[in-house]
Amino acid sequence: MIIDAHVHLPIGKDCSNLYRKREKLFQELERNHIDRCIVISDSCMESDIGNLNECVELFRESDNVDVVGGISPFFEFQTQLEKIRDYLDKNLIVGIKLYTGHEAFYLSDERLKEVYALAQQYDVPVLFHSGWDNYQYSDVNVAAEVAMQYPNLKLVCCHCFFPRIDKCQLLVKYPNVYFDISSIADNRAILNDIEEKIKMLIEAVPERVLFGSDYSGCNQEEHIQFVKNLRLNKMLAESIFERNAKYVFRLKV
């Protein structure tokens, strides 16, 4: 079984509305033999990848797609917070996403205390963007600060600080920090180095690394092949592809 723990609704000329986006996503899942995925909504009200309400309604009846709700202190924060609370109460979302770096707020921002309290109340993870430009908003020291302040909060580091995958090792000592490998397999020029760093991370915390692709921004097939190229034993491969996501998101499969 493969669970892709990090996908977005596809965009492009053949995705003119939400239902076409959903159809194309299902086609991609089938093509790559993905059994289940987690769609992450945007944090703003108007977005090509769908806002919180749109993603929830689009997959409300789906038995193999779960939704993580994006939120931002910049976009109707209190209104979105209450919507997330309502969706959590109805078991319609399985996590919360913060677009740190894409948006100019720190993971340690005081306004996020309400997000962290909500996530702990419902035992769902908070995902945060890391790496690339504007990395300072969720860099290792900031993530460590939040992990220490909220030891019962499950934090998922999306993209493993790409391209500085080695930074993950500085968070290994915090048992509430998890790592999703989405979008790390697209740069072939540094792929060998990335593979080595991910192997080291899996060796350190095999129960805390999740498979993700960041489809449609990144290639789902290449990310599957990336994990296969690591030549993990069967138990480790099952943990990365399936078991860890089930635990972090409390998926009932």
Side-chain angles (χ1 to χ4, degrees), residues 148-166:
M148 285 189 291
Q149 187 174 356
Y150 303 97
N152 295 319
L153 173 68
K154 289 185 285 189
L155 281 172
V156 180
C157 175
C158 301
H159 320 307
C160 296
F161 301 107
F162 183 88
R164 292 292 308 278
I165 307 297
D166 53 304

Side-chain angles (χ1 to χ4, degrees), residues 17-30:
N17 60 56
L18 289 171
Y19 300 101
R20 287 184 180 273
K21 292 174 185 289
R22 182 178 64 183
E23 182 181 359
K24 185 174 181 181
L25 173 62
F26 283 144
Q27 290 172 351
E28 188 70 9
L29 297 179
E30 183 177 3

Side-chain angles (χ1 to χ4, degrees), residues 203-231:
E203 287 174 3
V205 284
E207 75 286 0
R208 284 158 49 195
V209 180
L210 288 68
F211 173 75
S213 67
D214 207 11
Y215 173 83
S216 68
C218 297
N219 187 292
Q220 196 172 61
E221 183 179 7
E222 288 185 2
H223 279 74
I224 294 171
Q225 192 58 50
F226 173 87
V227 175
K228 290 181 177 179
N229 288 345
L230 297 177
R231 301 187 185 281

Side-chain angles (χ1 to χ4, degrees), residues 43-45 70-81 84 96-116 137:
S43 58
C44 55
M45 302 306 104
I71 191 170
S72 166
F74 300 139
F75 308 122
E76 300 183 19
F77 181 58
Q78 288 300 327
T79 300
Q80 291 298 92
L81 195 67
I84 284 178
I96 305 170
K97 171 70 182 289
L98 300 170
Y99 287 88
T100 43
H102 281 309
E103 300 168 18
F105 66 90
Y106 285 88
L107 194 62
S108 55
D109 191 305
E110 286 291 308
R111 292 171 290 184
L112 300 179
K113 284 185 175 181
E114 293 180 86
V115 174
Y116 298 148
Y137 294 106

Side-chain angles (χ1 to χ4, degrees), residues 57-75:
E57 291 306 316
L58 204 58
F59 298 105
R60 183 186 284 266
E61 304 300 327
S62 174
D63 60 1
N64 69 331
V65 178
D66 299 280
V67 174
V68 162
I71 191 170
S72 166
F74 300 139
F75 308 122

Side-chain angles (χ1 to χ4, degrees), residues 187-199 226:
N187 190 333
R188 294 183 178 276
I190 59 172
L191 201 56
N192 289 340
D193 181 62
I194 297 297
E195 284 184 3
E196 190 59 36
K197 298 291 175 53
I198 291 297
K199 279 183 181 179
F226 173 87

Side-chain angles (χ1 to χ4, degrees), residues 8 15 34 40 47 60 65 72 75 85 91 117 163 168 175 218 248:
H8 300 284
C15 298
I34 301 288
I40 303 174
S47 171
R60 183 186 284 266
V65 178
S72 166
F75 308 122
R85 182 187 299 277
N91 295 314
C168 294
C218 297
V248 172

